[in-house]
């Protein structure tokens, strides 16, 4: 039995399609269109940051993501300083089965999101949107060559590889914009993991591959350097 569950988990890792957690099928929502996403975001209730702050500890979000959403661990994403729209979208994506790139990592988020209603999701998102993102404390400084290369990718993109400047969506300082998340101060291990998941197709909750298309031609070294680059930025 245990073996079969492990096998199912391994298959999910490879295909990202067959989704079962040993307790039945997980809901599998249709991919977003710009239209359906806009409509859904507009129909969400207004969030209340004070209620969001209480929920953050009641639901034990703080045990992994830190007191204010700034992750103390290399294993978890920092979620503070995110535009509310992005957090709402992620929670809906976990809840409805659109985001499930890594069984081991995402499982807990799916379970928690399924326990939340729209109002609670809006409240949590309002709380995180209030916080700032600070540089991650343990960055490895990039050598000058790599820094320049990555800085060019961020500000100018790469026409030859059809990579649009990261800054055009994620902001000049990595502060994010609506559904494009803040990247400043993000935990580099999480950044690399999620970029690789976009690249190999395991993370496909982005609308019309609006993010993953830029990852296909990035090398591992570039992804790692981008992670360090953004981790070292303060949003404010
Ligand atoms: C046991 C640890 C744990 C707990 C508790 C937890 N999370 Fe998470 N969270 C994670 C992990 C791991 C990921 C990354 C998952 C992945 O790779 O898909 C994540 C991802 C997220 C993301 C997406 C981050 C991004 O940048 O895309 C959001 C938003 C989030 N969590 C919010 C919450 C909220 C709200 C709660 C409480 C209701 C919560 N988390 C509780 C471990 C946790
Ligand atoms: C056309 C706009 C656009 C461009 C250009 C773009 N992104 Fe994104 N990016 C997005 C959107 C939108 C998302 C959220 C997608 C989703 O819903 O999963 C995202 C998500 C991400 C995430 C996931 C963050 C998290 O917290 O989980 C990372 C990392 C990222 N982008 C890095 C980059 C880098 C590095 C570049 C430049 C090489 C880049 N992006 C270029 C729009 C863009």
């Amino acid at each position: 039995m245990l073996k079969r569950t492990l096998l199912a988990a391994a298959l999910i890792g490879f295909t990202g399609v067959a989704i079962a957690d040993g307790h039945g099928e997980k809901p599998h929502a249709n991919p977003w269109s710009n239209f359906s996403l806009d409509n859904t975001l507009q129909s969400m209730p207004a969030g209340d940051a004070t209620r969001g702050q209480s929920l953050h500890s009641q639901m034990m979000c703080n045990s992994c993501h830190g007191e204010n959403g700034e992750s103390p661990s290399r294993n978890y994403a920092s979620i503070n300083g995110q535009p509310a729209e992005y957090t709402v979208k992620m929670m809906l994506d976990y809840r409805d089965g659109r985001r499930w790139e890594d069984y081991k990592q995402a499982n807990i988020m799916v379970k928690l999101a399924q326990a939340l209603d729209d109002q609670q999701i809006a409240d949590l998102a309002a709380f995180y949107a209030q916080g700032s993102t600070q540089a991650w404390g343990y960055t490895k400084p990039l050598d000058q060559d790599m820094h320049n290369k990555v800085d060019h990718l961020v500000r100018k993109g790469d026409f030859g590889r059809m990579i649009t400047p990261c800054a055009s969506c994620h902001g000049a300082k990595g502060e994010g914009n609506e559904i494009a998340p803040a990247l400043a101060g993000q935990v580099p291990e999480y950044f690399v993991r999620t970029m690789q998941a976009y690249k190999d197709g395991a993370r496909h909750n982005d609308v019309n591959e609006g993010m993953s298309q830029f990852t296909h031609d990035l090398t591992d070294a570039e992804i790692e350097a981008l992670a360090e680059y953004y981790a070292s930025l303060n949003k404010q």
Side-chain angles (χ1 to χ4, degrees):
M1 185 58 199
L2 179 65
K3 255 193 195 144
R4 212 178 299 153
T5 314
L6 288 175
L7 182 65
L11 283 173
I12 290 157
F14 279 119
T15 64
V17 177
I19 293 170
D21 62 4
H23 303 284
E25 286 296 309
K26 206 175 67 62
H28 203 94
N30 291 328
W32 292 113
S33 65
N34 285 319
F35 182 73
S36 64
L37 178 59
D38 280 358
N39 270 349
T40 304
L41 290 178
Q42 274 170 27
S43 67
M44 290 293 288
D48 178 309
T50 309
R51 279 199 311 252
Q53 180 163 24
S54 317
L55 271 172
H56 179 68
S57 41
Q58 272 162 27
M59 298 291 293
M60 315 253 277
C61 315
N62 58 357
S63 65
C64 294
H65 294 289
E67 264 336 289
N68 295 310
E70 187 183 339
S71 173
S73 152
R74 292 180 171 271
N75 213 9
Y76 305 124
S78 279
I79 55 178
N80 56 333
Q82 283 300 0
E85 293 89 341
Y86 176 74
T87 303
V88 166
K89 179 177 184 292
M90 286 311 112
M91 296 308 286
L92 297 179
D93 286 354
Y94 283 124
R95 192 175 76 181
D96 300 338
R98 291 189 175 93
R99 185 170 175 190
W100 186 274
E101 63 261 29
D102 174 331
Y103 180 82
K104 229 175 89 200
Q105 301 287 350
N107 194 24
I108 179 76
M109 284 309 306
V110 172
K111 295 245 154 66
L112 284 167
Q114 285 173 349
L116 297 169
D117 63 25
D118 287 358
Q119 183 65 60
Q120 291 171 313
I121 288 180
D123 292 345
L124 285 161
F127 171 55
Y128 302 135
Q130 272 189 346
S132 66
T133 53
Q134 288 183 16
W136 173 249
Y138 312 97
T139 50
K140 296 176 221 126
L142 295 171
D143 69 45
Q144 199 57 41
D145 261 11
M146 203 40 156
H147 177 86
N148 294 346
K149 208 174 159 192
V150 166
D151 192 58
H152 192 270
L153 261 178
V154 167
R155 291 169 197 285
K156 305 273 193 259
D158 181 344
F159 186 71
R161 290 187 287 174
M162 300 212 295
I163 298 174
T164 310
C166 320
S168 66
C169 296
H170 292 284
K173 296 178 179 165
E175 70 275 23
N177 180 21
E178 300 185 352
I179 58 161
L183 301 176
Q186 189 50 279
V187 179
E189 280 77 0
Y190 168 74
F191 185 113
V192 169
R193 193 167 80 221
T194 212
M195 287 290 276
Q196 295 292 0
Y198 280 127
K199 189 174 172 180
D200 67 21
R203 178 170 174 178
H204 45 72
N205 60 319
D206 50 336
V207 188
N208 298 331
E209 299 187 13
M211 174 58 218
S212 38
Q213 60 177 309
F214 304 117
T215 58
H216 298 307
D217 293 330
L218 289 174
T219 64
D220 290 353
E222 284 173 325
I223 290 176
E224 279 159 31
L226 281 160
E228 295 298 336
Y229 177 95
Y230 275 114
S232 71
L233 294 184
N234 270 315
K235 198 183 94 172
Q236 287 158 341

